[in-house]
């Protein structure tokens, strides 16, 4: 089968010489609000700005005075449930949305070396060993991320027909494989990485040097998560 050479990150962005990322990984977000009034005020202001309306517009829609709305948005007052209900109707969000910033958990999973949970996936029948390195369900990002340590041995078979939604990132740790993505082949050695759209058929096509180990990080939208 004829193959095409893979593109590098630099080739994808010839003008800048580096990927045009939309998010600064070193940026510091505002800390989680510990004060309930501040948390509510932050959400009211955020939802109002998302709709593109002014405080005056919101006052007219709710019957709440401008002074009261200003105090609510600045966290200087504890609004009543009746007031919050009026705001939720005017902003088109559930009442509980105003408490999100106050009560939303941010979890972390720590896995000691060698303690990842081994599980069965589609490639298990081909002799691929999967160790899941962590999982956080119902997180605040709206994205599910599945990190795996995959081990291939002499008993493993090639299995180049994985296909699923989302994106996948591979990082080669040990050994060498020829990895297929669509109609392209990538010779992967320790230190090499591959990032791709997982909806195309993919998988290790040739096991060049065994045992082989690589990280596989799969991400896809969280079911039922809305903006």
């Amino acid at each position: 089968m004829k193959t095409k050479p893979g593109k590098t990150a630099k080739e994808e962005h010839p003008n800048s010489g580096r990927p045009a990322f939309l998010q600064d990984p070193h940026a510091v977000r505002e800390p989680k609000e510990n004060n309930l009034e501040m948390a509510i005020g932050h959400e009211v202001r955020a939802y109002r700005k998302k709709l593109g309306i002014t405080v005056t517009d919101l006052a007219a829609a709710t019957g709440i005075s401008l002074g009261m709305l200003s105090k609510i948005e600045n966290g200087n007052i504890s609004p009543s449930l009746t007031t919050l209900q009026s705001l939720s109707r005017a902003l088109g969000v559930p009442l509980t949305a105003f408490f999100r910033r106050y009560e939303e958990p941010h979890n972390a999973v720590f896995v000691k070396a060698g303690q990842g949970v081994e599980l069965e996936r589609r490639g298990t029948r081909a002799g691929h060993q999967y160790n899941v390195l962590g999982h956080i369900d119902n997180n605040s990002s709206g994205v599910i991320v599945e990190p795996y340590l995959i081990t291939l041995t002499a008993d493993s078979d090639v299995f180049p027909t994985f296909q699923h939604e989302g994106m996948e990132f591979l990082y080669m740790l040990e050994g060498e494989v020829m990895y297929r993505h669509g109609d392209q082949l990538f010779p992967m050695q320790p230190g090499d990485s591959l990032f791709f759209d997982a909806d195309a058929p993919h998988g290790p096509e040739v096991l060049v040097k065994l045992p082989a180990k690589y990280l596989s990080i799969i991400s896809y939208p969280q079911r039922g998560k809305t903006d």
Side-chain angles (χ1 to χ4, degrees), residues 142-163:
V143 176
I144 294 294
V145 179
E146 298 179 359
Y148 297 98
L149 174 61
I150 299 178
T151 303
L152 308 179
T153 66
D155 296 326
S156 300
D157 295 328
V158 293
F159 203 77
T161 52
F162 296 113
Q163 194 169 3

Side-chain angles (χ1 to χ4, degrees), residues 8-145:
T8 66
K10 188 172 183 179
E11 289 171 338
E12 291 285 1
H13 304 270
N15 296 327
S16 65
R18 62 180 179 179
F21 296 127
L22 301 178
Q23 179 172 265
D24 179 3
H26 302 294
V28 179
R29 295 182 62 186
E30 295 179 37
K32 175 183 173 182
E33 303 288 1
N34 291 319
N35 181 278
L36 179 58
E37 288 78 14
M38 290 292 291
I40 292 174
H42 182 280
E43 295 304 319
V44 171
R45 183 186 298 109
Y47 285 118
R48 174 177 63 77
K49 289 184 175 181
K50 188 175 182 180
L51 290 177
I53 62 177
T54 65
V55 177
T56 302
D57 295 330
L58 187 57
T62 59
I64 302 171
S65 69
L66 285 173
M68 176 68 77
L69 280 176
S70 178
K71 290 180 179 179
I72 290 174
E73 289 197 358
N74 290 318
N76 296 326
I77 192 172
S78 181
S80 66
L81 286 176
T82 300
T83 298
L84 289 176
Q85 189 173 50
S86 297
L87 288 169
S88 72
R89 289 172 177 168
L91 296 172
V93 298
L95 190 63
T96 55
F98 298 132
F99 302 97
R100 179 182 63 84
R101 192 175 179 86
Y102 181 75
E103 63 184 15
E104 186 175 80
H106 297 278
N107 300 317
V109 175
F110 176 67
V111 178
K112 291 287 289 182
Q115 293 184 4
V117 178
E118 186 173 347
L119 49 79
E120 289 192 4
R121 291 197 69 218
R122 186 179 171 198
T124 303
R125 64 173 180 257
H128 298 187
Q129 179 183 332
Y130 292 85
N131 284 85
V132 62
L133 302 180
H135 180 74
I136 298 178
D137 198 8
N138 298 319
N139 62 75
S140 61
S141 70
V143 176
I144 294 294
V145 179

Side-chain angles (χ1 to χ4, degrees), residues 14 19 40 42 52 81 91 107 113 143 171 184 188 202 218-219 223:
I40 292 174
H42 182 280
L81 286 176
L91 296 172
N107 300 317
V143 176
Y171 184 82
Q184 301 180 72
M188 297 195 66
H202 58 275
I218 301 171
S219 62
R223 291 286 182 265

